[in-house]
Amino acid sequence: MAEHSPHSPPAHSDALVIFGISGDLAFKKIFPALYAMVKNGALSVPVIGVAASDWTREQLHQQARKSLQEETGMDDPAVCERLLALLFYVHGDYRAAETFSAIKAALKNAQRPAYYLAIPPSLFTVVIQGLQSAGLTEQARIIVEKPFGRDLASAQELSRIAQSAFAENAIFRIDHYLGKEALMNLLYFRFANSFFEPLWNRDNIASVEITLAESFGIEERGAFYETAGCLRDVVENHMLQIVALLAMEPPAFQGFKAVQQAKANVFYAMRALVPGDLVRGQYIGYRNEPHVASDSDVETFCALRLWIDSWRWHGVPWFLRSGKKLANTAAEVRVHLKPPPQRLFDDADAHRTQANYVRFRLSPDPAIALATRVKCAGESFVGQQRELYLSEISLGHDLPYERLLGDAMEGDATLFSNQEAVEAAWAVVNPVLTDHAPALPYPPGSWGPPEADALIAACGGWHNPEAPAPAPAPAPPPPRATP
Ligand code: BG6
């Protein structure tokens, strides 16, 4: 869907500078993405990692190797060596001019670097200004991690600062969910199939439910999490992006501009949240995590009800839920259809509680299922609800950062948010960022505080996504042939 003028393809970035290379995000997602890019021939320019840690280049390489072994099982040591040959290190304080002089020296002859800010949002402005003061922004691109700002006002201010240093088409607001195959498939599946569209509206849909659950806690990210919480960390961005893909009107024409506009229109039509729409929770033990305040009220769980006041969605509640240390790790959407209007069969009551639904399993093991009722054998007209798998999707390897970093370095903004959409999404959550009830405790391994159930009770309660199927046991070795 990308739109580039055939006459002036954007120039490829000739270096990648990653701020925050010693952090958790780099370890878990970025090194594996760089490895995959080298493997696929998408990365052959120098990569300069920047962080405050007083490491040598060799120590950075050790960190990269460790990440690749733990996160990817690194299957090709030669690719790893090719990546390490590209990987350089600059350490220093992001507030010090010398750090940027050292980056300039490390960039050597690069003319069009891409800077990726994999750092806490509180440092975005400092780094952008440091780059600007060092004269490093001309012809460069900047890739900014989510959350873009802390609220609507700071997102606008950050945008102003970024735009003072970079052209708007050189600013890439990254949300790695937009690079996930399962999310791209929401867009594709909705608009590549004609049977869906006539059903996809308030006449047929009773409610929509989205769960993004994680069984792990905040791990080493206490300092970041204390400044963010679940609302800023995943709801304002990842979850609202999922809502936008499900709720948007068909793009008016082929091209990412039309998709961006259709998604922004969903955010414009959303009612701003009020405190009664939101239940915040905090897992028991969170306050004992490193770098977390002993009286912290930061939420590690959110359940909320959204309304989209558009012609298509008027009156349909959207329920969103996400949390850390929940019962399992899975992301799933359920679109509940209305039951048939007539009571024709003996089991008509069950049609109300077990109406048709469409289930999009986003991760792990993406799938799309349609729950239907089918008659059971016998004299009476009684049936059961069975899922019809419309698709069991094999998405192969899915490394969103590989796709997104590669796209940004090529100047392709298709899978990035624009400022309009970012601001419209902040406007939805802005009122409840500060005006909310205290976070309620919940035990690790549960589905959050019981108060979250009341939000959705009238629509049949939450449907907890099943845990991923256990990995198949390794096949026994073949019997040895006896000579
Ligand atoms: C990140 C959040 O953006 O997304 C994390 O900061 C969260 O808190 C992660 O765990 C989830 O991403 P994924 O791709 O593992 O579902």
Side-chain angles (χ1 to χ4, degrees), residues 294-354:
S294 56
D295 59 351
S296 175
D297 180 49
V298 166
E299 77 284 350
T300 58
F301 170 96
C302 281
L304 53 109
R305 178 181 46 216
L306 266 182
W307 300 98
I308 302 172
D309 289 329
S310 64
W311 191 287
R312 184 189 287 267
W313 294 113
H314 181 81
V316 179
W318 292 67
F319 299 100
L320 277 52
R321 177 176 63 154
S322 180
K324 304 272 185 203
K325 289 221 179 181
L326 297 185
N328 62 50
T329 298
E332 200 164 278
V333 174
R334 275 187 189 227
V335 180
H336 298 280
L337 275 77
K338 291 184 175 170
Q342 247 186 319
R343 298 173 66 90
L344 287 178
F345 303 111
D346 301 342
D347 62 349
D349 283 343
H351 298 184
R352 264 111 264 278
T353 54
Q354 296 173 9

Side-chain angles (χ1 to χ4, degrees), residues 17-258:
V17 181
I18 302 177
F19 289 86
I21 197 77
S22 63
D24 177 71
L25 177 60
F27 188 85
K28 284 193 163 160
K29 313 255 187 192
I30 306 307
F31 288 123
L34 297 177
Y35 172 82
M37 288 165 79
V38 170
K39 194 170 184 178
N40 298 335
L43 182 69
S44 55
V45 299
V47 178
I48 298 158
V50 187
S53 311
D54 186 9
W55 288 353
T56 60
R57 185 177 177 207
E58 183 46 39
Q59 282 170 301
L60 176 66
H61 286 189
Q62 279 165 15
Q63 173 85 341
R65 278 199 195 92
K66 189 162 180 265
S67 153
L68 296 179
Q69 268 145 12
E70 287 180 20
E71 304 294 325
T72 68
M74 197 201 354
D75 54 357
D76 191 339
V79 174
C80 177
E81 291 313 311
R82 268 167 35 220
L83 170 60
L84 297 185
L86 296 173
L87 192 56
F88 299 87
Y89 188 55
V90 167
H91 75 89
D93 182 343
Y94 297 146
R95 291 186 170 77
E98 303 84 71
T99 306
F100 295 90
S101 308
I103 293 170
K104 194 173 201 163
L107 279 169
K108 296 193 178 134
N109 299 325
Q111 301 293 309
R112 299 177 304 280
Y115 303 110
Y116 170 37
L117 308 189
I119 50 179
S122 54
L123 293 169
F124 291 168
T125 302
V126 172
V127 170
I128 292 172
Q129 288 170 338
L131 290 168
Q132 192 172 22
S133 305
L136 288 171
T137 56
E138 212 176 308
Q139 295 195 68
R141 297 189 170 107
I142 186 129
I143 307 162
V144 187
E145 257 302 328
K146 46 95 349 206
F148 193 87
R150 297 201 74 247
D151 53 19
L152 179 56
S154 59
Q156 289 167 332
E157 175 63 2
L158 175 57
S159 187
R160 192 188 62 70
I161 290 167
Q163 286 167 347
S164 71
F166 297 88
E168 174 58 28
N169 66 3
I171 304 172
F172 293 80
R173 298 167 183 85
I174 201 166
D175 178 331
H176 78 279
Y177 267 52
L178 295 179
K180 286 183 183 255
E181 286 292 339
L183 264 81
M184 290 188 239
N185 195 41
L186 290 179
L187 178 70
Y188 185 85
F189 190 78
R190 274 195 63 198
F191 299 118
N193 294 304
S194 56
F195 71 93
F196 247 90
E197 186 52 20
L199 287 176
W200 214 246
N201 55 49
R202 68 194 151 86
D203 296 331
N204 303 292
I205 291 178
S207 65
V208 185
E209 186 188 336
I210 307 175
T211 297
L212 199 168
E214 293 174 328
S215 58
F216 48 90
I218 55 160
E219 301 179 316
E220 311 299 313
R221 303 164 72 214
F224 159 73
Y225 210 82
E226 279 284 275
T227 66
C230 182
L231 255 183
R232 292 184 173 91
D233 186 36
V234 299
V235 174
E236 181 272 336
N237 31 73
H238 302 335
M239 296 200 84
L240 290 192
Q241 290 293 340
I242 296 171
V243 174
L245 288 166
L246 291 164
M248 66 190 263
E249 297 301 319
F253 52 88
Q254 186 185 354
F256 81 92
K257 278 193 190 131

Side-chain angles (χ1 to χ4, degrees), residues 367-389:
I368 300 177
L370 176 58
T372 55
R373 294 195 66 82
V374 285
K375 185 181 172 304
C376 300
E379 281 180 16
S380 56
F381 276 82
V382 169
Q384 60 178 177
Q385 192 186 45
R386 299 282 296 277
E387 279 194 348
L388 181 71
Y389 270 83

